[in-house]
């Protein structure tokens, strides 16, 4: 499965915005060893259901340190038996774009 998620804390009084909290969440994802990528809006992570959801849970907890509330947006592509789709899906679109 591939999960795209975005996490944002609120109710913090650090004045540092959310980048520090998001960095804590992304660090959890990157240290998980699962295939992942981060863009301006989401962090994508690929793996089996239980391992991906555990990483998301830990990332949300890390982002929420010192916050009274955390917002989570999550989208999942659940496709049993398929791996390596984090890059393969983009590759298929790029191939189509290059056909013309």
């Amino acid at each position: 499965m591939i999960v795209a998620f975005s996490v944002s804390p609120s109710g913090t009084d650090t004045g540092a915005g959310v980048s520090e909290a998001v960095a804590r969440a992304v660090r959890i994802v990157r240290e998980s060893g699962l295939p992942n990528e981060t863009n301006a809006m989401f962090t994508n992570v690929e793996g089996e259901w239980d391992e991906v959801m555990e990483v998301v849970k830990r990332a949300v907890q890390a982002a929420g340190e010192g916050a009274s509330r955390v917002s989570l947006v999550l989208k999942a592509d659940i496709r049993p038996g398929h791996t390596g789709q984090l890059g393969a899906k983009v590759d298929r679109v790029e191939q189509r774009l290059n056909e013309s």
Side-chain angles (χ1 to χ4, degrees):
M1 81 184 302
I2 297 173
V3 167
F5 75 100
S6 174
V7 59
S8 181
S10 60
T12 62
D13 56 3
T14 65
V18 298
S19 63
E20 184 178 319
V22 171
R24 288 194 303 268
V26 171
R27 184 172 291 111
I28 295 293
V29 174
R30 291 184 179 174
E31 291 175 352
S32 74
L34 296 176
N36 67 85
E37 62 185 22
T38 300
N39 59 52
M41 297 292 293
F42 289 93
T43 294
N44 302 318
V45 60
E46 182 174 17
E48 296 299 319
W49 181 280
D50 290 339
E51 62 187 356
V52 168
M53 291 312 220
E54 177 62 25
V55 169
V56 170
K57 178 181 178 181
R58 290 178 35 234
V60 169
Q61 291 169 336
E65 290 174 11
S68 61
R69 167 183 255 161
V70 179
S71 172
L72 171 66
V73 175
L74 185 141
K75 181 177 181 178
D77 179 7
I78 304 163
R79 196 171 180 199
H82 289 79
T83 60
Q85 295 302 299
L86 198 58
K89 291 177 88 161
V90 175
D91 291 344
R92 287 190 294 272
V93 172
E94 290 295 337
Q95 181 180 5
R96 296 286 184 181
L97 290 168
N98 291 325
E99 290 176 354
S100 46

